[in-house]
Amino acid sequence: MKISIDGLHKAFESRIRLGIMSALAVNDTLDFSSLKDYLNVTDGNLASHLKALEKEKFVAVTKSFIDRKPNTRYTMTKQGRKAFEEHLAALENLIKSQK
Amino acid sequence: MKRKEEDYMQDLREIRSIMERSTKFLSLSGISGVLAGLYALAGAYLAFNIFDDTEALVYGIPSGENVWDLLLIGTVVLLLAVSTAVAFSVNKARRKGERVWNPAAKRMLANMAVPLVAGGLLALVFLAKGLIMLMAPVTLIFYGIGLYNASKFTYEDVKYLGFIQMVLGLFGAFFTEYSLLFWAFGFGVMHIIYGIYVNYKYER
């Protein structure tokens, strides 16, 4: 896993990815359009960031159909939660140490 | 890429804001609260005129015609209050560039609706059994439970509003001759105070 010296995850350097993880940390599951709503990003942008998180195995995807329309739901994995919490702790430490 | 303290702070702020926005329904409008209070006061005034002597409210079973009048007043007040709240919330969400019908809104409504439906049905049971004097308190108590329950998913202050409604309902159930007054205070005056408070605290 890519972690820089200060304990920050490379995967969370992008604020959009950090935003996705924040929303998933407090919601069991969210669909694509809800995520898009909270983050104010375009479809393509959000999809590529989600794909990256999926590749890291931080986010799990379930696809289904509701009224014959495809519905994609995202969940945070155990691994993702651990990484996110570590990242938060690292952020706090950095702020404290710079004071 | 070298990042500075300000970036980290901004990261944390963003995390906090997204967590809050994605779990709490914050598009409730204070003005719709004030309007709901005014509808309730008007409804209570009309109901008062049906029972012009309090004796009827305590012991009496109103005639068939009065029962329908009461139900009509209740339904109109409820419909007006709900549609006003929906219209103002849709408007507020749109101004913030958010969808109103998001997962947080669904969770808040579900938590609110379950006690409300149970309370509404119980009020109808009381009506059928001729326990008219308990109808107003029971709607207050169950509305309070609904608010208390839903407060986790919206402004936290809603919890205190719920608590006050429950207390008023219990008093109304004990002092039945004043139950309609307690109802008017809870649904009318408290909504107006709460609406002004929300408007002042979050919408200025």
Side-chain angles (χ1 to χ4, degrees), chain B residues 63-136:
Chain B
S63 62
E65 204 181 313
N66 284 350
V67 169
W68 289 114
D69 284 348
L70 270 189
L71 278 180
L72 183 70
I73 293 170
T75 314
V76 169
V77 167
L78 185 69
L79 284 181
L80 272 175
V82 169
S83 49
T84 306
V86 169
F88 275 82
S89 293
V90 167
N91 191 282
K92 190 170 167 185
R94 205 167 278 163
R95 265 184 290 138
K96 289 193 295 181
E98 286 171 15
R99 278 184 315 162
V100 72
W101 193 229
N102 59 22
K106 285 176 205 170
R107 240 171 301 177
M108 188 204 71
L109 277 186
N111 273 277
M112 177 106 188
V114 172
L116 271 193
V117 169
L121 292 176
L122 185 58
L124 290 179
V125 169
F126 283 163
L127 179 68
K129 298 282 179 189
L131 298 166
I132 311 291
M133 69 284 195
L134 288 177
M135 283 179 71

Side-chain angles (χ1 to χ4, degrees), chain B:
Chain B
M1 187 168 66
K2 181 79 188 136
R3 304 181 79 218
K4 295 205 183 66
E5 188 191 344
E6 193 40 46
D7 288 322
Y8 303 140
M9 295 288 267
Q10 188 57 39
D11 277 1
L12 284 180
R13 268 196 292 270
E14 203 107 322
I15 290 168
R16 224 192 115 124
S17 146
I18 288 177
M19 282 180 168
E20 193 178 80
R21 272 187 291 134
S22 66
T23 47
K24 288 180 181 264
F25 180 71
L26 301 175
S27 300
L28 278 179
S29 146
I31 299 163
S32 67
V34 174
L35 288 173
L38 292 176
Y39 304 150
L41 285 180
Y45 177 75
L46 290 175
F48 256 121
N49 286 343
I50 291 177
F51 299 104
D52 42 10
D53 60 319
T54 45
E55 290 285 298
L57 189 58
V58 185
Y59 308 105
I61 300 170
S63 62
E65 204 181 313
N66 284 350
V67 169
W68 289 114
D69 284 348
L70 270 189
L71 278 180
L72 183 70
I73 293 170
T75 314
V76 169
V77 167
L78 185 69
L79 284 181
L80 272 175
V82 169
S83 49
T84 306
V86 169
F88 275 82
S89 293
V90 167
N91 191 282
K92 190 170 167 185
R94 205 167 278 163
R95 265 184 290 138
K96 289 193 295 181
E98 286 171 15
R99 278 184 315 162
V100 72
W101 193 229
N102 59 22
K106 285 176 205 170
R107 240 171 301 177
M108 188 204 71
L109 277 186
N111 273 277
M112 177 106 188
V114 172
L116 271 193
V117 169
L121 292 176
L122 185 58
L124 290 179
V125 169
F126 283 163
L127 179 68
K129 298 282 179 189
L131 298 166
I132 311 291
M133 69 284 195
L134 288 177
M135 283 179 71
V138 88
T139 52
L140 269 173
I141 292 171
F142 278 82
Y143 179 59
I145 298 171
L147 288 177
Y148 195 85
N149 218 19
S151 67
K152 285 172 264 159
F153 306 104
T154 181
Y155 301 118
E156 216 177 338
D157 318 88
V158 166
K159 185 159 75 183
Y160 305 110
L161 181 64
F163 199 73
I164 292 169
Q165 304 288 17
M166 279 186 255
V167 171
L168 286 172
L170 289 171
F171 272 104
F174 193 81
F175 303 104
T176 39
E177 61 270 45
Y178 301 111
S179 69
L180 203 52
L181 267 183
F182 281 109
W183 191 92
F185 189 78
F187 279 96
V189 178
M190 281 317 298
H191 271 150
I192 294 172
I193 294 174
Y194 169 79
I196 293 171
Y197 175 78
V198 162
N199 184 268
Y200 191 77
K201 186 168 172 192
Y202 302 104
E203 294 170 352
R204 290 280 151 96

Side-chain angles (χ1 to χ4, degrees), chain A residues 79-97:
Chain A
Q79 220 173 314
R81 187 168 297 276
K82 189 164 166 277
F84 182 65
E85 276 164 11
E86 282 166 3
H87 184 81
L88 280 184
L91 273 179
E92 275 172 29
N93 275 334
L94 279 168
I95 291 169
K96 262 186 234 153
S97 68

